[in-house]
Amino acid sequence: MEVDAGDDGRIRTGTLATATAHAFTAVVGAGILALPWSVAQLGWILGPSVLVFFAFVTYYSAILLCDCYRTPDPVNGRRNHTYIAAVRALLGPRNELFCAVMQYAILWGTMIGYTVTTAISIGAVKRTTCFHARGHEAKCGVSGNLYMVIYGGMQIVLSQFPNLEKLAFLSVVAAVTSLAYSSIALCLSIAKLSSNHEFKGGIMAAMADNNIPQATSTKIWHSFQALGNIAFAYTFSMLLLEIQDTLKSHPPENKVMKRVTLYAIGGTALFYISVGCIGYAAFGNDVPGNVLAGFYQPFWLVDIANLSVIVHLIAAYQVFSQPIFAIHEKLLASKWPTSSFTRIYTIRLPLTHKGIFSFTLSKLFLRTLFVVFTTTVAMMLPFFNAILAFLGAISFWPLTVYFPLRMYTMQTKIKRGSYQWMGFQGLSLVCLIVSLISGIGSVAGMLVSLKKAKLFHIDL
């Protein structure tokens, strides 16, 4: 394999293909299965329009961010290995602190959310199999805590991979499985739509039952949540520069990363629009929050889809965790470079090609401790997906729009008051409003979840 030592002495092996796999894994998540519900809350006019609009916004801001990997020159400048480093170099330490809080909150929150979602998906497989064997009236309850523990144990093992660059095969697995369950959801929705012989849904937002108290306010909160779900569905800015840092220097990283962004956002948009709109057309306003939950037959195909979700979340977890591991280990290594805790040890392993496993005590213990803590929080707060929706809402504007636009403005010295500068301000203002609105909707959803939730208990 061709390698590139780079101008900083670090060997990089990343290519267009591996970076695209990482990007697909970061963008596409199980949230795609909630898009038909999101479109239903907005209706046939706003739903598809918002899906297209935020695909464009995310793509545009991402290609600007690609030019901030090196500063002051986007091709030959000094590398910014992380998103936070780029913010520090271009915007200063105050913005760096705010960015760090937002970035690592959403990365860690996603890890917790993936733990909860995996348990729910395993429960869905068990429930579908149980219904098939005993009938739909059977009681098929299962416990989610055991599955979270098993999931956490798997992540402890996977967390020992040294960095994001060495996880390319996991990203490929995650990308393939995400395409699998998305395709199954799409095909099942097409089959249901064909059997209905009509397009369901309304032109405007989903209508709530006027006989239900506070139906209008519920409809508003759901619309706000749906807007946030769609806006946050495309973003991978919090990982973009970390992915770009895995690429070889030739051809220039920013040019390769712009192609990666086009493939990832373009491909994702096609799937999102297809699944969101066809799922809504098939179910109408009765579409479930997870479109797969609307299908029980053929049970084997639904099980394959849910198993694909599980495999995807197992692999994708590490893409979000590695940047968190890297920043802490870099700080430890800089503080105690000669400590036995940060020293590299090697063990010869039998029956392997290279026969050597390298590790540090800091990676072995701290990564394990972090995964255990994350799993415990997921078990303690099984309603965390509602909290994750809030984190996604409040982080969308700063991470996906504000920082990329402002850093690019500083990098290219765009004049204040110019047409491009005013366009940036207008786009940033629109996305800030979306973040605020979706944040309000997420808080409303979180309060509903808190009323029903029990600590260390998840209903599957």
Side-chain angles (χ1 to χ4, degrees), residues 308-336:
S308 297
V309 172
I310 294 165
V311 175
H312 168 81
L313 296 178
I314 290 171
Y317 183 102
Q318 289 301 316
V319 175
F320 287 86
S321 67
Q322 288 294 332
I324 297 178
F325 297 153
I327 190 68
H328 288 98
E329 287 159 10
K330 183 178 179 181
L331 288 173
L332 285 174
S334 62
K335 268 197 166 187
W336 297 288

Side-chain angles (χ1 to χ4, degrees), residues 357-384:
F357 172 67
S358 299
F359 69 96
T360 66
L361 293 177
S362 64
K363 286 183 179 181
L364 189 61
F365 289 106
L366 293 183
R367 292 188 181 194
T368 299
L369 184 63
F370 189 80
V371 173
V372 169
F373 178 64
T374 301
T375 305
T376 303
V377 172
M379 293 170 62
M380 184 173 66
L381 304 173
F383 53 89
F384 193 85

Side-chain angles (χ1 to χ4, degrees), residues 235-365:
T235 187
F236 73 116
S237 297
M238 63 281 193
L239 288 170
L240 187 147
L241 294 184
E242 281 80 355
I243 294 172
Q244 191 167 342
D245 192 47
T246 67
L247 293 170
K248 294 178 288 188
S249 299
H250 304 286
E253 304 94 349
N254 63 330
K255 292 184 178 179
V256 176
M257 200 62 203
K258 287 177 182 179
R259 290 176 63 191
V260 168
T261 301
L262 175 62
Y263 297 155
I265 301 297
T268 300
L270 289 175
F271 263 96
Y272 280 7
I273 294 168
S274 300
V275 173
C277 293
I278 295 177
Y280 179 39
F283 287 94
N285 294 336
D286 295 325
V287 63
N290 179 336
V291 69
L292 284 178
F295 301 102
Y296 291 105
Q297 297 293 338
F299 84 97
W300 58 270
L301 189 59
V302 177
D303 279 353
I304 289 175
N306 282 306
L307 287 170
S308 297
V309 172
I310 294 165
V311 175
H312 168 81
L313 296 178
I314 290 171
Y317 183 102
Q318 289 301 316
V319 175
F320 287 86
S321 67
Q322 288 294 332
I324 297 178
F325 297 153
I327 190 68
H328 288 98
E329 287 159 10
K330 183 178 179 181
L331 288 173
L332 285 174
S334 62
K335 268 197 166 187
W336 297 288
T338 60
S339 170
S340 59
F341 197 58
T342 57
R343 186 183 306 160
I344 297 176
Y345 298 90
T346 58
I347 297 176
R348 291 195 170 275
L349 299 176
L351 305 177
T352 58
H353 177 61
K354 293 185 178 180
I356 294 176
F357 172 67
S358 299
F359 69 96
T360 66
L361 293 177
S362 64
K363 286 183 179 181
L364 189 61
F365 289 106

